[in-house]
Amino acid sequence: MSQVNETTTSVTEFFIVGFPGLQPKYYNLIGALLFIIYIAVITGNSLIVVLFVTERSLHKPMYIIMLSLSLSDIGFCTVALPKVISRYWFNDGYIGFYICLFQRQLIHYFGTLNSLIMMNMALDRFLAICYPLRYPVLMNNRTMRLLIGFSWVTAVIAPTISLIQTVKLPFCGPNRIAHCFCDGSSINQLACADATITNLNAYAVAMFVLLVPFSFIIFSYLSILVSVLRIANAQGRIKAFSTCATQLTIITIYYVPRFVVYSTTNIPNVQLLNSSQKISLVMFYSLLPPLVNPFIYCIRIKEIRQFFIKWSVYIIRNSQKSKVNKLTTPK
């Protein structure tokens, strides 16, 4: 036991490699790109939060989901991106052992949380379209707050289960993480012991977290499709499809690449992607939804568009008044 403890604590820090094989001449470019993405994610999702707080008309179940998703996206990108940006801009890729484990916990926590939030989103659309007359009774602000709060609390369970197994592994040699952040599989690969069982258990937990919400989402949207096709009014069908199209796009981007990466990483003799391709795909499905969510919702949702129009008119009028005051004020 003492030997295990000794080897376990011999690694005090890890080094975030980022994209393996990337030439140093591209470091500043990649760092700048990730920094721009980070600022865009923070700005866009913070705008959603500000809109929800300041506009009472947005205090509805669907916007509670959007608020929660925005907060989760802000949290994920704040945990994942600053260190890899620092690695490419300042060659500061070192991260403490326990800080890396903490980052790994939060990375998987926000991933699990997003999966649960999307399940709530599918439930909301299912009730709204399949049971429109009963929707106000079945789904109200209080019910949605309870569902979202339950998601934020229970999302910690799955990452903690796999983290406990990772902590039990001895780390005594390699410390270079071939990824843009600390994640379970990348850390487990550096263990000095056979991590096959740990990886399979983590894979089983990840598949449970993904498949249960995804199965409900598929059921919900198939039910929605059947209900929409029964609508006699063509305009009503178009409106219903339009409402769900955006969510289905984001859900597809979120789930499908994850299944590919998890399966090719953990299923023996399945190597469809090399290391760089896997990391690129992980960054794609991790960063694209947080980046595009605010802009898609702001463009497609009528209430938010109206708020932006009202806000823009208010700013323009104040700007014009300020100019007039400057011209009429005696010098």
Side-chain angles (χ1 to χ4, degrees), residues 106-255:
L106 291 179
I107 290 290
H108 293 295
Y109 168 75
F110 286 117
T112 303
L113 177 60
N114 277 7
S115 184
L116 296 176
I117 291 173
M118 290 182 186
M119 183 171 68
N120 289 325
M121 185 183 295
L123 173 63
D124 179 77
R125 291 301 86 197
F126 170 74
L127 295 176
I129 295 176
C130 297
Y131 302 96
L133 298 179
R134 299 178 61 190
Y135 176 79
V137 177
L138 296 173
M139 184 61 69
N140 51 46
N141 287 351
R142 182 177 180 276
T143 302
M144 182 55 71
R145 290 193 192 101
L146 289 174
L147 290 173
I148 292 297
F150 182 76
S151 298
W152 278 82
V153 172
T154 57
V156 75
I157 297 175
T160 301
I161 292 173
S162 56
L163 176 64
I164 291 172
Q165 295 177 327
T166 296
V167 170
K168 292 179 181 179
L169 294 172
F171 295 90
C172 55
N175 70 338
R176 296 176 65 85
I177 294 179
H179 210 305
C180 292
F181 46 73
C182 299
D183 76 315
S185 60
S186 298
I187 295 175
N188 292 347
Q189 289 176 6
L190 303 180
C192 297
D194 185 6
T196 302
I197 300 300
T198 301
N199 287 330
L200 289 177
N201 289 337
Y203 175 66
V205 171
M207 286 297 99
F208 177 82
V209 168
L210 289 176
L211 285 174
V212 172
F214 187 67
S215 299
F216 178 79
I217 289 169
I218 293 298
F219 164 77
S220 299
Y221 281 99
L222 286 176
S223 301
I224 289 171
L225 178 62
V226 172
S227 296
V228 168
L229 292 177
R230 291 175 179 172
I231 299 176
N233 187 346
Q235 186 176 359
R237 288 198 300 269
I238 294 174
K239 182 178 179 181
F241 276 124
S242 177
T243 302
C244 297
T246 301
Q247 297 173 8
L248 279 174
T249 301
I250 298 301
I251 288 169
T252 301
I253 294 173
Y254 180 85
Y255 281 102

Side-chain angles (χ1 to χ4, degrees), residues 286-300:
S286 297
L287 299 180
L288 184 61
L291 182 63
V292 302
N293 276 345
F295 302 101
I296 290 177
Y297 288 128
C298 289
I299 290 172
R300 294 186 64 88

Side-chain angles (χ1 to χ4, degrees), residues 1 9 12 25 30 35 99 105 108 120 136 177 215 238 270 279 296 318 331:
M1 180 64 70
T9 57
T12 60
K25 64 181 180 180
I30 295 299
F35 179 75
I99 296 176
Q105 174 74 356
H108 293 295
N120 289 325
I177 294 179
S215 299
I238 294 174
V270 177
I279 295 171
I296 290 177
N318 280 350
K331 296 184 180 180

